[in-house]
Amino acid sequence: MEAKESKKNVLLVFHASWCKWCKIMEKNMNLPETQPIFGDRFVTAYVDVQERGEKKSLENPGGQELMNKYKGENAGLPFWLILNPKGEVMADSFNAKGENLGSPSTPEEVATFIAKLKKSSKLSKEEISSIEKVFTKK
C-alpha cells in the first residue's frame, strides 16, 4: 500500500528472531550513513518466518508460503526480494550460482547486492561507497 502511494520499490526481507545474519543486515541498513539511502528508495518490509518454540507466534501468517513462492524455501535467512510497486520481482537475493546472498558481507557478495540495488534504483557513487563500507566485513 505504502509503496504504491510513494511510488517506491519494496525491499522485502524474510527474517527470524534467532538469525544472527538477519540482525546484521538490519543493523547495516539502519545506520546513519545507510538508512537515508534505503529509506529514500525503498519501503522496507520484514516478514517473520521459521521461528522456533515459543517464538513461533512471531511468524507472519502466510510468510513462509510467500517465501516458498519465490523459491526461498531452502535459501536460508535472511532472504530478500526487491519488488516494484505493482508487486513484480525486480531482484532477489540469489547470486549467479543460485546461492542466497543473505546479509552480504564479502566484497563479491556486496558487489552483487549493489548491482541488484542499482537494477531497482539510482545510486550515486557516494551512496555505493557507503553501502560497500558498511556491508563489507573487515
Side-chain angles (χ1 to χ4, degrees):
M1 190 69 203
E2 191 187 333
K4 268 201 179 108
E5 287 165 22
S6 64
K7 306 264 190 291
K8 288 183 186 176
N9 293 323
V10 178
L11 181 55
L12 188 59
V13 182
F14 295 89
H15 69 160
S17 63
W18 50 263
C19 168
K20 183 183 92 176
W21 283 105
C22 300
K23 289 180 176 72
I24 292 169
M25 179 144 186
E26 286 164 47
K27 184 186 110 239
N28 287 346
M29 287 171 56
N30 286 299
L31 291 170
E33 59 270 44
T34 51
Q35 197 289 321
I37 302 170
F38 288 98
D40 289 349
R41 289 174 179 74
F42 300 99
V43 173
T44 304
Y46 294 98
V47 180
D48 281 291
V49 293
Q50 300 175 12
E51 291 292 352
R52 302 173 181 155
E54 67 235 28
K55 298 249 169 122
K56 208 78 178 135
S57 63
L58 296 174
E59 286 187 6
N60 290 88
Q64 188 61 51
E65 291 73 15
L66 187 62
M67 189 172 158
N68 297 354
K69 178 182 166 186
Y70 296 107
K71 305 185 179 35
E73 61 271 23
N74 302 313
L77 296 175
F79 176 72
W80 45 267
L81 301 163
I82 299 173
L83 307 168
N84 69 17
K86 290 187 194 134
E88 300 159 338
V89 178
M90 301 177 77
D92 61 28
S93 57
F94 292 115
N95 68 13
K97 294 185 200 140
E99 300 158 338
N100 182 19
L101 293 167
S103 177
S105 63
T106 66
E108 301 76 36
E109 288 170 347
V110 174
T112 303
F113 179 52
I114 289 170
K116 288 175 182 279
L117 292 174
K118 280 170 45 181
K119 232 171 48 182
S120 53
S121 68
K122 287 178 174 48
L123 293 172
S124 70
K125 282 195 167 83
E126 293 76 25
E127 290 168 331
I128 290 167
S129 169
S130 294
I131 293 170
E132 279 172 349
K133 276 194 195 101
V134 164
F135 277 86
T136 308
K137 253 190 135 163
K138 276 95 197 141

